[in-house]
Amino acid sequence: MNDDEIKDQIEPGVADESATEVEVEWVDFDSSDDDQPEGLSAEEEEELASDPEIVVTATRAELQPVIEALLFVAEEPLPFKQICKVLGDVPEDDVRAAMDELVAGYEERESGLEIREIAGGWRISTRPQHHEFIRKYLKSRPSARLSLPALETLAVIAYKQPITVPEILEIRGVTSSSAIKTLLEKRLIVTRGRKETVGRPMMYGTSKEFLIQFGLKDLSELPSIEDFEDLAQ
Amino acid sequence: MNDDEIKDQIEPGVADESATEVEVEWVDFDSSDDDQPEGLSAEEEEELASDPEIVVTATRAELQPVIEALLFVAEEPLPFKQICKVLGDVPEDDVRAAMDELVAGYEERESGLEIREIAGGWRISTRPQHHEFIRKYLKSRPSARLSLPALETLAVIAYKQPITVPEILEIRGVTSSSAIKTLLEKRLIVTRGRKETVGRPMMYGTSKEFLIQFGLKDLSELPSIEDFEDLAQ
Amino acid sequence: MTENRTTAVDELPEREDEAKRDNYRVKLEVFEGPLDLLLFLIKKDEIDIYDIPIAHITEQYLEYLNLMEQLDISVAGDFLVMAATLIYIKSKMLLPPEPKLEGEEDLNEDPRAELVERLLEYQKFKAAASMFYSRAEIEAATYTRGAIETDTSNPEVSATVFDLLRVFREILKRAESAVEMEIHRDEITMAEKLAQINQMLSERFEINVRELFELAHSKRELILTFLAFLELVKETKITLVQRELFGEIYARRRQESIVQPVVDETENDQVTNDE
């Protein structure tokens, strides 16, 4: 299916990108201001609160794929009742049948995923027998993936290098030891000798790997606060 | 979700800086050594370098289900090369074939999900035609659209990258700072080093997130800018 | 939309009608910049973009700026720059062409050429923007999976250089507000003071005792600091070192002891009572 076809399914007619369409589409924009808020206005928010539920009912053919899509986006096991509610005015027996077929389908084709009833709801998850590959994948992710504490610590080191642990503590206000360990493991930072002060603490700076991961030729390419001051207007 | 909430999810308690929290963190320290933790010893470094990757190789029968499971787990489009790496010592052609079959299988059984190549990788997502049900379940509105100035600025950056702020002004005829700020915040563009010219201004380019949000495999999939000449008339 | 724009420019408000004014205001602000406005004026009068009647367009353009001013809409600098450009081109077109010398290239390039080029170029990106709009609409209708266990056990996000800067700015801001909070903070307890010293000792080999006293914000805290030191010395968790007579006193963590910051509630109460 190409984009236009998809689009026709979503909003018939919008797919055409000719100039006249452009004009029509502009009506949707509230482009009065360069920095207008992208979100909802107070008015719209209110409207949303009283927004009647989207009234849609799934056709019989849609039942299986829609259930599948719902299980996929749900963050928690999805209770059967809730699935029924989303599907609209469909007999529960039909939903149950579609559900059973869906689950059986996953079993039959020996999918890497499975649908199971757990904690009072239905959930898609990977099958346990593939866990080794999944662990291997999680370990192989690029090093520029960081937890928030690690990202914060890296930011301080990047902009204040060379810097010692107590100095990082001073700036961040929280202890950063485990973050520093993580960053060292990911080779994003390196030691930079000792500071000639009481206790001669280690100093840290960013590594070559850091430059590679963040796509920088050298440290002078790091954006400075001044670079963004004009943008902040 | 604000940062603190995120933080709480990541490392419960670390956001809070009260004395009792300090005590909790204390436990993490390996303080048997007089020197503060300052990175890894040479030994540890070595160990890290030779850290044995999990050695597993998928059997032929496992290829499809494992790929499926990996796509499910991945938070970002998964590059083909990375899939191969995780699968172990398997010929690329076999992986490619399994991949193709998997994608075709999703199409054939008219799944509610689809596997597509996007932003240089493979991704599972729901099919667009079910979006109403998903929105109903998630109680979400269609996400906020980009303003026209932001879209125009993005178009200029996409086709002229890497490009500086003054160059964007030249093309659009209007200052684009707040549009650029919006695009940076939405992670649609990234800095691309500095231009070696007076003032060494930052250059900008589109990000992976841009490819994802606009459904592109890579930049070459963009229609040529000259194609818009006719439309513009 | 074209209709609306035409109305906005053609029907200049004759009277000071507030409601009507607001109405115009909305419609007027549609233009993104001077090039956008020029393109609109060209399309409106079905002008050949390669042969722009510059005097006519300049007049319309200035009229529009005038209208903006009348309606108290601040005219952005970019619009004024274009106005100056238009007037310049207009004046150049009034000058007689320089005589062409034998064998030389014709130096009399059309003064409009550069502007036309810019308009054509801009137009393409304007059209491209609508393509991006459509693409984003389609993609917004697809959803990726909800959070799963591995997300929470490996809570990592991929970061860009901009994230580094953003995070760094946030930290600086947080540090600023933390200083303000300090003033209103409730009095520190013995447990907190012990924890504070322990933490500092965990990060540094030794601490200057004076430095710690300087951290105290009140007399009470000074006393607590002193008591905390006594406590730690008594429990042989630290040693106090003075390198020279009347020199600075340093507190050092004892090698073998892993300092336990835990102070139970009863002890804490006692200290408070002692005061």
Side-chain angles (χ1 to χ4, degrees):
Chain A
M1 178 151 49
N2 69 29
D3 283 355
D4 280 359
E5 284 171 299
I6 293 170
K7 197 150 192 191
D8 273 344
Q9 287 182 337
I10 304 171
E11 248 173 76
V14 185
D16 193 341
E17 285 163 12
S18 72
T20 43
E21 289 297 338
V22 174
E23 302 266 12
V24 173
E25 281 179 29
W26 276 356
V27 182
D28 286 335
F29 286 116
D30 175 14
S31 59
S32 52
D33 195 336
D34 221 4
D35 54 10
Q36 97 237 23
E38 231 82 280
L40 304 175
S41 68
E43 237 169 73
E44 283 172 310
E45 290 274 5
E46 205 170 329
E47 196 190 313
L48 183 63
S50 63
D51 199 14
E53 289 217 348
I54 301 164
V55 187
V56 274
T57 285
T59 63
R60 194 154 297 217
E62 273 178 333
L63 287 180
Q64 261 200 61
V66 171
I67 294 171
E68 195 179 10
L70 288 174
L71 293 178
F72 182 74
V73 297
E75 290 190 16
E76 276 159 21
L78 207 49
F80 181 73
K81 290 273 174 207
Q82 203 180 346
I83 297 174
C84 292
K85 212 180 136 206
V86 177
L87 292 171
D89 194 15
V90 179
E92 279 201 11
D93 285 351
D94 290 7
V95 179
R96 177 78 63 191
M99 189 86 221
D100 288 347
E101 257 178 72
L102 183 67
V103 173
Y106 269 70
E107 292 298 325
E108 263 164 48
R109 67 187 174 88
E110 293 181 359
S111 160
L113 310 174
E114 61 182 0
I115 300 178
R116 277 168 58 206
E117 197 170 5
I118 194 167
W122 291 86
R123 191 182 73 173
I124 295 194
S125 63
T126 58
R127 272 179 211 275
Q129 59 258 47
H130 307 306
H131 78 280
E132 273 186 312
F133 292 99
I134 290 166
R135 270 200 13 242
K136 191 171 165 189
Y137 157 70
L138 290 174
K139 282 192 89 170
S140 75
R141 291 185 303 176
S143 336
R145 291 185 70 88
L146 297 166
S147 67
L148 190 58
L151 179 62
E152 278 196 14
T153 307
L154 183 59
V156 172
I157 294 173
Y159 282 99
K160 292 282 188 181
Q161 59 188 306
I163 187 170
T164 67
V165 173
E167 286 162 353
I168 298 170
L169 165 68
E170 183 73 18
I171 296 175
R172 278 192 69 211
V174 283
T175 323
S176 312
S177 321
S178 62
I180 288 170
K181 202 164 164 246
T182 307
L183 295 172
L184 282 166
E185 275 167 8
K186 287 185 180 268
R187 300 170 176 280
L188 293 170
I189 59 169
V190 288
T191 55
R192 281 277 161 77
R194 291 179 184 279
K195 186 158 181 164
E196 292 307 331
T197 175
V198 184
R200 305 190 68 233
M202 263 299 173
M203 295 189 291
Y204 296 93
T206 53
S207 65
K208 200 167 156 188
E209 179 65 23
F210 166 81
L211 295 177
I212 295 168
Q213 290 288 342
F214 285 84
L216 299 166
K217 249 188 278 169
D218 52 54
L219 284 175
S220 77
E221 286 197 341
L222 263 184
S224 69
I225 290 176
E226 292 76 48
D227 282 322
F228 293 96
E229 251 154 26
D230 307 338
L231 303 184
Q233 301 310 309
Chain B
M1 186 153 35
N2 67 32
D3 278 351
D4 273 352
E5 282 171 295
I6 293 170
K7 202 158 188 181
D8 271 345
Q9 288 187 337
I10 300 170
E11 243 173 77
V14 180
D16 191 338
E17 291 164 23
S18 74
T20 43
E21 292 301 338
V22 174
E23 292 178 28
V24 174
E25 279 184 27
W26 190 259
V27 182
D28 288 333
F29 281 116
D30 174 14
S31 56
S32 55
D33 194 324
D34 229 354
D35 279 331
Q36 71 266 35
E38 65 199 13
L40 308 174
S41 66
E43 235 169 75
E44 282 173 311
E45 289 269 7
E46 202 169 334
E47 193 191 317
L48 189 65
S50 64
D51 188 18
E53 291 211 348
I54 301 167
V55 187
V56 272
T57 285
T59 63
R60 193 154 295 218
E62 271 179 332
L63 286 180
Q64 259 199 64
V66 170
I67 294 171
E68 196 179 9
L70 289 175
L71 292 178
F72 179 78
V73 171
E75 286 171 78
E76 286 169 12
L78 205 50
F80 182 74
K81 291 271 174 211
Q82 206 182 345
I83 297 174
C84 291
K85 212 180 134 204
V86 177
L87 290 172
D89 193 17
V90 178
E92 279 201 10
D93 284 350
D94 291 6
V95 180
R96 178 81 61 193
M99 187 90 222
D100 288 347
E101 256 178 70
L102 183 67
V103 174
Y106 269 69
E107 292 296 325
E108 265 164 45
R109 67 186 174 89
E110 293 183 358
S111 161
L113 310 174
E114 61 181 359
I115 300 179
R116 274 169 63 202
E117 197 174 4
I118 196 168
W122 291 86
R123 190 185 74 171
I124 299 191
S125 67
T126 64
R127 274 177 210 276
Q129 57 262 47
H130 307 308
H131 78 287
E132 277 184 309
F133 293 99
I134 296 165
R135 280 223 327 265
K136 187 171 163 188
Y137 165 67
L138 294 173
K139 296 195 171 64
S140 73
R141 284 206 142 194
S143 51
R145 294 161 172 159
L146 284 175
S147 69
L148 192 51
L151 273 172
E152 241 184 59
T153 307
L154 186 60
V156 173
I157 293 173
Y159 280 102
K160 294 283 187 179
Q161 58 189 311
I163 187 171
T164 66
V165 173
E167 287 161 354
I168 298 169
L169 166 68
E170 180 64 28
I171 293 176
R172 288 193 65 219
V174 66
T175 316
S176 311
S177 321
S178 58
I180 289 166
K181 197 178 161 231
T182 304
L183 296 173
L184 277 168
E185 274 163 3
K186 291 189 179 275
R187 309 166 72 93
L188 294 170
I189 59 171
V190 288
T191 58
R192 280 278 160 78
R194 294 178 186 281
K195 184 153 184 159
E196 294 305 334
T197 174
V198 186
R200 302 189 78 226
M202 290 299 324
M203 296 188 289
Y204 296 93
T206 52
S207 65
K208 195 159 141 189
E209 186 60 28
F210 162 79
L211 295 174
I212 293 172
Q213 287 201 19
F214 291 86
L216 296 162
K217 265 187 241 181
D218 50 48
L219 284 175
S220 72
E221 219 193 334
L222 278 180
S224 150
I225 187 67
E226 304 309 327
D227 291 347
F228 291 102
E229 212 152 356
D230 309 330
L231 292 181
Q233 292 306 309
Chain C
M1 205 59 194
T2 310
E3 287 300 304
N4 290 344
R5 287 180 174 194
T6 313
T7 324
V9 176
D10 283 353
E11 297 174 21
L12 291 166
E14 300 285 333
R15 272 168 247 113
E16 296 286 345
D17 181 347
E18 277 303 320
K20 213 173 171 188
R21 262 177 77 149
D22 283 345
N23 201 19
Y24 280 116
R25 188 180 307 248
V26 174
K27 286 168 187 166
L28 277 167
E29 282 174 337
V30 168
F31 297 109
E32 293 228 11
L35 292 172
D36 195 24
L37 172 56
L38 276 179
L39 277 182
F40 164 71
L41 295 174
I42 288 165
K43 266 188 195 155
K44 179 176 73 89
D45 291 352
E46 291 174 1
I47 286 166
D48 177 5
I49 198 164
Y50 294 98
D51 186 21
I52 301 171
I54 207 78
H56 172 71
I57 283 287
T58 306
E59 188 189 323
Q60 295 236 320
Y61 186 91
L62 294 177
E63 205 170 273
Y64 176 82
L65 292 198
N66 203 10
L67 177 62
M68 280 173 92
E69 266 162 14
Q70 272 182 47
L71 298 177
D72 296 332
I73 298 165
S74 63
V75 177
D78 300 318
F79 279 92
L80 298 177
V81 172
M82 179 56 75
T85 309
L86 287 173
I87 292 165
Y88 173 74
I89 295 172
K90 192 175 137 192
S91 66
K92 272 208 104 173
M93 296 205 45
L94 292 175
L95 293 174
E98 297 213 4
K100 189 185 158 199
L101 296 173
E102 274 307 311
E104 261 192 20
E105 263 183 79
D106 191 354
L107 294 171
N108 296 300
E109 205 199 337
D110 189 334
R112 299 170 298 182
E114 201 193 320
L115 180 64
V116 170
E117 196 139 306
R118 280 187 72 191
L119 282 169
L120 289 172
E121 180 83 348
Y122 170 69
Q123 210 171 212
K124 284 186 275 180
F125 291 102
K126 206 166 127 82
S130 78
M131 178 270 295
F132 281 121
Y133 175 80
S134 316
R135 292 200 77 107
E137 285 285 284
I138 301 166
E139 287 311 310
T142 68
Y143 293 78
T144 49
R145 68 156 168 79
I148 55 173
E149 269 169 55
T150 50
D151 299 350
T152 38
S153 57
N154 290 278
E156 299 189 338
V157 292
S158 55
T160 66
V161 171
F162 183 65
D163 292 314
L164 283 180
L165 181 78
R166 187 177 50 79
V167 161
F168 185 60
R169 287 178 77 165
E170 276 163 18
I171 295 168
L172 293 183
K173 261 189 226 151
R174 195 170 71 200
E176 273 170 34
S177 57
V179 171
E180 283 165 32
M181 274 166 56
E182 201 87 23
I183 301 161
H184 307 291
R185 211 182 142 178
D186 286 340
E187 281 289 7
I188 194 164
T189 65
M190 185 67 176
E192 284 174 323
K193 184 47 82 180
L194 280 168
Q196 189 189 6
I197 296 171
N198 274 334
Q199 164 140 12
M200 288 176 82
L201 280 169
S202 77
E203 280 162 4
R204 295 193 243 164
F205 170 57
E206 58 181 17
I207 4 173
N208 188 333
V209 174
R210 197 185 51 157
E211 196 184 320
L212 247 163
F213 281 112
E214 282 168 353
L215 279 177
H217 297 288
S218 64
K219 202 167 154 190
R220 186 176 174 275
E221 203 182 331
L222 270 176
I223 296 166
L224 273 180
T225 308
F226 184 62
L227 290 175
F229 267 119
L230 287 187
E231 185 73 18
L232 290 169
V233 172
K234 195 179 82 190
E235 289 176 30
T236 63
K237 284 175 175 162
I238 58 167
T239 42
L240 296 175
V241 184
Q242 193 171 25
R243 292 193 184 114
E244 51 184 305
L245 203 60
F246 305 121
E248 300 281 3
I249 300 172
Y250 292 90
R252 267 188 205 172
R253 180 155 40 85
R254 283 189 176 239
Q255 289 250 351
E256 67 286 2
S257 79
I258 294 167
V259 189
Q260 288 302 322
V262 184
V263 174
D264 68 33
E265 282 304 307
T266 48
E267 198 179 343
N268 192 13
D269 283 345
Q270 273 171 13
V271 173
T272 321
N273 292 340
D274 284 348
E275 251 191 283

